């Protein structure tokens, strides 16, 4: 990220809310590619379950076969968000980033609160994985090499799936971008629509302990301009994983980014996260397609 | 780092010692440039003090003026190491990395234990900074934009200088690569020649508390294949800085690297650390030279 862009992101503030989200989206929008997406096959709205939110999009680089699959689970405070917001580059940008990095990218919707409450989000992540186990091969992906990546509430769902269910053996690793893991340390107002406000439920629904027990490789990220509460969650995750392993866990500190640009910049701004993600995928889920931009850059 | 190189680094093991150091040096040596270094002016053995180890080398990109200055302080267990090991690319590689990234690179020697004990190393870092305050301009550097970067024992000296002295106001930030900060948690055998073995001395010589109080911006790194003891130090630094700020501190987790390749790969293997270092320097010490390779890559 260049200095001017860093200044503009910093000017938005270390805050999370509709205005900061909109400002972040607008700031980066001109830097993104627009459809049609050259060299990437996109399949829209595959149904991985019966609900209208049980839909996912698949991005496959031309000619790709048996590639690692990165599944992106969006944020939105448990009550909002979309895999593909009409007329914006988001979150096609994540699917495109994966495809242009030599992987299959999947962006998924899931059921939202307050109609659908805990653990529907984690269940939907599991249902999408089950769909991929049957169908990834049709889209150039290897169902035995899946990496789940969630942002914000999506990271909480990914962590919940990895920690409380028996994750599908095809899931090789997970990536958590600025999520909530220890719910008792998080903002109750954000959690209430999905988890309710019973402290005992918050304790048992916290994905942190299960995540640590599950032992799946975790890469987590926090942005310089994330709010304090996200930094606290990242520190809790750091401490829990260091406490388990006696080793510093793989993590990405993202200078210059905020809670939103952490995801929104993928496929637009050359930065440390994309490169670190590809290295993490290759380490745990095997090689990306040879000759992709990221594979070359990482060589 | 590509997969084959990652495999070879991993095969060395998560260990620190002469064999691991030699194997790491040999592994990366063929990837480095050799003299003469095109486009970089190198001044050797400038005397920043009276001792024969008070010598530093300066690497300036062609035509550079008023650039940020990165001062590299090597490791070697407090008893060994050199800014420039004859017939090897090390640590010219760090000076060259800085110059090719649009900065002035300085590699420095310092007095060694057991002849010279605590706090001679931190004092020598201060003497080199004082020399730069007077002479950086002659070499294209801006003495008001200095970043200190130490590796292993060198990181302990940098942390000691930053924390226990009144650092020169030209020092804008520090970078700590796999050092010892809380000496009571470190290996007494490694510390003994320089610090002695009195626990009260180890407590008062530990740079961690002073570093946290000093408030200089810190970027710290730990390598995936660092030994447990280095991970423990990184975690102690993480906890101390998080405890102070309530924010996750800037850090770099280096996948695929060990205690040695963390430094030895600079200027040879395109990787996440160099890019994160340039971003950190630009954030705290202002812009690097326009048109440098790193400035373009980071844009």
């Amino acid at each position: 990220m260049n200095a001017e862009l860093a200044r503009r992101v910093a000017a938005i503030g270390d805050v999370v809310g509709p205005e900061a989200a909109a400002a972040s989206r607008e700031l980066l929008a001109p830097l993104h590619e627009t459809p049609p997406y050259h060299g990437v096959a996109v399949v829209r709205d595959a149904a991985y379950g019966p609900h209208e939110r049980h839909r996912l999009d698949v991005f496959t680089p031309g000619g790709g076969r048996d590639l690692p699959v990165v599944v992106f689970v969006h944020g939105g405070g448990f009550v909002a968000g979309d895999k593909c917001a009409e007329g914006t580059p988001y979150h096609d940008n994540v699917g495109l980033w994966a495809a242009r990095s030599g992987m299959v990218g999947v962006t998924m919707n899931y059921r939202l609160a307050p109609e659908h409450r805990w653990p529907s989000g984690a269940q939907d992540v599991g249902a999408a994985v089950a769909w991929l186990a049957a169908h990834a091969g049709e889209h150039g992906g290897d169902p035995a090499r899946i990496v789940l990546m969630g942002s914000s509430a999506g990271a909480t769902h990914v962590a919940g799936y990895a920690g409380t269910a028996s994750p599908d053996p095809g899931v090789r690793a997970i990536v958590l971008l600025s999520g909530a893991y220890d719910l008792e340390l998080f903002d109750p107002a954000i959690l209430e629509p999905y988890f309710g406000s019973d402290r005992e439920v918050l304790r048992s629904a916290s994905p942190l302990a299960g995540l640590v027990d599950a032992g799946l490789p975790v890469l987590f990220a926090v942005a310089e301009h994330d709010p304090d509460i996200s930094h606290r969650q990242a520190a809790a995750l750091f401490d829990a994983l260091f406490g388990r392993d006696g080793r510093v866990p793989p993590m990405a500190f993202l200078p210059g980014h905020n809670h939103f640009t952490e995801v929104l910049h993928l496929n637009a701004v050359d930065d440390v996260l994309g490169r670190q993600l590809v290295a993490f995928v290759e380490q745990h889920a095997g090689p990306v397609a040879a000759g992709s931009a990221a594979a070359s850059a990482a060589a």
Side-chain angles (χ1 to χ4, degrees), chain A:
Chain A
M1 159 175 327
N2 65 38
E4 175 58 21
L5 187 55
R7 265 192 298 277
R8 289 180 174 206
V9 174
I12 296 171
D14 300 358
V15 291
V16 171
E19 286 104 32
S24 302
R25 285 194 295 263
E26 284 163 25
L27 184 57
L28 294 175
L31 306 178
H32 281 281
E33 60 179 301
T34 51
Y37 305 132
H38 178 71
V40 176
V42 185
V43 172
R44 298 283 181 189
D45 291 314
Y48 69 86
H51 192 272
E52 63 176 2
R53 292 278 303 180
H54 286 143
R55 298 290 182 275
L56 54 79
D57 297 345
V58 187
F59 299 73
T60 305
R65 288 184 55 190
D66 295 327
L67 300 177
V69 180
V70 172
V71 181
F72 176 70
V73 187
H74 66 76
F78 304 99
V79 297
D82 210 284
K83 61 180 170 58
C84 181
E86 193 74 24
T88 82
Y90 318 114
H91 296 94
D92 278 5
N93 70 301
V94 182
L96 289 168
W97 161 79
R100 300 216 180 282
S101 302
M103 307 175 282
V104 171
V106 173
T107 57
M108 63 173 280
N109 281 344
Y110 51 86
R111 289 169 292 168
L112 297 173
E115 291 84 1
H116 300 276
R117 294 164 66 94
W118 178 76
S120 64
Q123 287 169 341
D124 288 358
V125 171
V129 170
W131 185 90
L132 285 166
H135 298 286
E138 302 159 21
H139 301 279
D142 181 345
R145 303 204 284 147
I146 295 172
V147 173
L148 305 177
M149 175 165 85
S151 161
S152 197
T156 304
H157 294 322
V158 167
Y161 169 70
T164 60
S166 289
D168 186 284
V171 175
R172 306 285 284 273
I174 65 174
V175 177
L176 304 174
L177 309 174
S178 300
Y181 320 112
D182 182 339
L183 303 180
E184 295 181 279
L185 296 179
F186 203 71
D187 181 349
I190 296 172
L191 299 176
E192 196 281 329
Y194 180 64
F195 290 102
S197 53
D198 183 302
R199 285 195 70 83
E200 198 43 59
V201 171
L202 291 185
R203 190 186 328 265
S204 62
S206 280
L208 184 58
L211 181 66
V212 167
D213 289 346
L216 267 176
V218 180
L219 171 68
F220 70 96
V222 64
E224 179 184 0
H225 299 297
D226 251 320
D228 285 354
I229 200 165
S230 294
H231 279 255
R232 203 174 306 141
Q233 293 292 318
L237 186 54
F238 180 102
D239 285 345
L241 293 169
F242 181 78
R244 182 189 69 186
D245 300 331
R247 315 269 302 171
V248 169
M251 71 168 286
F253 176 91
L254 300 177
H257 282 291
N258 70 23
H259 191 74
F260 305 103
T261 67
E262 188 175 41
V263 167
L264 302 179
H265 83 284
L266 287 171
N267 203 46
V269 180
D270 184 26
D271 215 331
V272 293
L273 179 61
R275 180 172 295 240
Q276 197 162 344
L277 290 173
V278 171
F280 182 74
V281 169
E282 292 211 290
Q283 182 176 9
H284 298 289
V288 302
S292 68
S296 313

